[in-house]
Amino acid sequence: MAVLVLVVAGLLLSGCRGVRTEVRKTEFMMDTAVTITAYGPRAEQAVAAAFAEMRRVAALMNADDPDSEVSLINRNAGLEPVRVSSETFELLELCQHYSELAAGAFDVTVRPLVELWGIGKKDKYVPSPEEIERALQLVDYRKVILDQNTKTVFLPVPGMGVDLGGAAKGYAADRAREILKEHGVRSALIDAGGNIWTVGIRPDGRKWRIGIRHPRPEVAGGVLAVLPSQDLTLVTSGDYERYFLKYGTRYHHIFDPHTGLPARELVSATIIGNNSAEADILSTAVFVLGADRGLALTNQLPHITTVVVTPKLQVLTAGSHETELELVYKEGEDQ
């Protein structure tokens, strides 16, 4: 669900003197290009291990992979509980926690809507109101039965489906960060297609400078804001990465679980924190809730900073890192 956060051009230190070994590798996984840049004598082994870990997480949680645990849960909807790994179970618990906190604005049982709309897979298909209503009957996170004792997951209604697309990439990025640190890497950047992790500081001793993409670059230029970052994760959800236009209307892949339609309250929502899975979930929830309710949600979480852009391109910020944000675009400025 999260989309591109730009690393500000020219800040990847390729020209710095005295920089220790740099290793940079890119792989395509989880529907996005993932790039890991790491520094240090063990950087090559660390990056290889981090990618292997991310592939392992994807194999567990990708709803499009018929062999994944999530697919097994979905195939057994209405039939029987499915025992899963502790990782999948704990991520589902985290999703359920924030679903409650966000009053259902985030919902892992959104899979029937994802399949119905088929954004990026069907040719500009807009379902009928009747089709959307039928799919909505299968969307309700409160019906998911998680058994802590047996680590089983049960979807009680045939046709229900779990989709961890709004959390798994963040979790995979968290695991990659831990693997890098276990290998002794103290300076690295993980870019998982919009899920950014800055590990430590840059080899030249300065903080990483991460640029948040403006959702309407044709109007406002490419970068919305820049954040000096050390050991922080930034995740953005927006309506501009996976979408299509039909009869002048933009249809994107972030659905409001209450209406079954693409959410319309915001055009982007960025979460800054210290856990990428959490930030992944919250960026979706805030995007669906809109500015007022979304900021009210994240204001309950003192470790979270939020940046939202409204359809009128108004930029609103809140949170502990708000004063460090360098806004490049301000509403009404000539670009």
Side-chain angles (χ1 to χ4, degrees):
M1 306 282 284
V3 289
L4 183 64
V5 179
L6 299 177
V7 180
V8 176
L11 296 179
L12 285 182
L13 312 180
S14 57
C16 291
R17 297 179 180 177
V19 172
R20 299 162 72 186
T21 303
E22 176 190 278
V23 174
R24 185 180 305 169
K25 184 178 179 182
T26 299
E27 289 189 16
F28 189 84
M29 64 177 71
M30 305 177 87
D31 292 326
T32 194
V34 178
T35 299
I36 300 178
T37 306
Y39 300 87
R42 299 184 63 196
E44 187 169 355
Q45 302 96 310
V47 169
F51 270 113
E53 179 68 359
M54 293 186 78
R55 288 192 295 271
R56 185 187 67 82
V57 171
L60 288 174
M61 302 180 184
N62 183 1
D64 291 321
D65 180 352
D67 296 323
S68 71
E69 291 186 341
V70 167
S71 289
L72 186 60
I73 293 168
N74 294 345
R75 283 197 302 273
N76 282 276
L79 299 176
E80 61 182 357
V82 173
R83 182 166 185 148
V84 298
S85 63
S86 59
E87 293 164 294
T88 299
F89 190 88
E90 289 167 8
L91 187 57
L92 282 168
E93 284 189 316
L94 183 69
C95 289
Q96 295 297 79
H97 168 73
Y98 280 109
S99 293
E100 288 286 348
L101 201 61
F106 180 89
D107 194 321
V108 292
T109 65
V110 75
R111 184 68 180 176
L113 286 171
V114 172
E115 293 180 328
L116 173 63
W117 282 85
I119 303 289
K121 298 178 182 178
K122 298 180 181 180
D123 184 21
K124 296 188 176 183
Y125 177 70
V126 178
S128 68
E130 293 76 19
E131 289 175 304
I132 293 172
E133 184 57 34
R134 285 195 294 271
L136 282 174
Q137 299 305 310
L138 301 170
V139 178
D140 189 346
Y141 72 93
R142 294 166 297 184
K143 293 180 180 178
V144 179
I145 300 172
L146 301 176
D147 190 316
Q148 179 69 48
N149 294 324
T150 61
K151 291 293 190 296
T152 57
V153 184
F154 183 47
L155 304 178
V157 181
M160 286 187 73
V162 166
D163 194 313
L164 283 173
K169 192 165 59 173
Y171 179 77
D174 287 333
R175 288 299 306 139
R177 170 181 177 263
E178 291 304 312
I179 293 296
L180 292 175
K181 294 180 70 175
E182 288 170 10
H183 280 73
V185 171
R186 296 293 176 264
S187 179
L189 185 71
I190 301 168
D191 180 356
N195 293 64
I196 301 289
W197 251 119
T198 59
V199 180
I201 56 176
R202 295 169 13 171
D204 64 358
R206 292 181 292 169
K207 289 184 177 182
W208 300 93
R209 287 175 59 79
I210 305 301
I212 303 171
R213 177 177 174 175
H214 197 288
R216 297 293 184 267
E218 70 278 8
V219 174
V223 179
L224 173 70
V226 177
L227 178 69
S229 177
Q230 176 180 350
D231 292 314
L232 289 174
T233 186
L234 297 84
V235 180
T236 298
S237 289
D239 69 354
Y240 52 87
E241 195 72 9
R242 291 169 54 194
Y243 72 95
F244 64 85
L245 296 173
K246 190 169 184 178
Y247 305 124
T249 299
R250 181 185 296 252
Y251 297 95
H252 58 81
H253 72 296
I254 307 174
F255 303 109
D256 183 335
H258 299 113
T259 67
L261 299 170
R264 302 292 186 197
E265 294 294 320
L266 294 173
V267 293
S268 78
T270 298
I271 300 295
I272 302 160
N274 50 30
N275 181 293
S276 197
E278 176 190 49
D280 212 349
I281 295 167
L282 284 171
S283 70
T284 301
V286 169
F287 187 92
V288 172
L289 287 169
D292 292 341
R293 292 187 298 157
L295 292 176
L297 168 64
T298 57
N299 283 340
Q300 300 176 49
L301 308 169
H303 61 292
I304 293 295
T305 298
T306 309
V307 182
V308 300
V309 183
T310 72
K312 294 184 177 180
L313 302 188
Q314 180 184 15
V315 182
L316 302 172
T317 64
S320 56
H321 295 282
E322 183 180 11
T323 58
E324 300 169 50
L325 278 168
E326 303 168 15
L327 288 179
V328 177
Y329 167 82
K330 296 178 182 178
E331 183 188 9
E333 284 188 345
D334 293 330
Q335 298 296 314

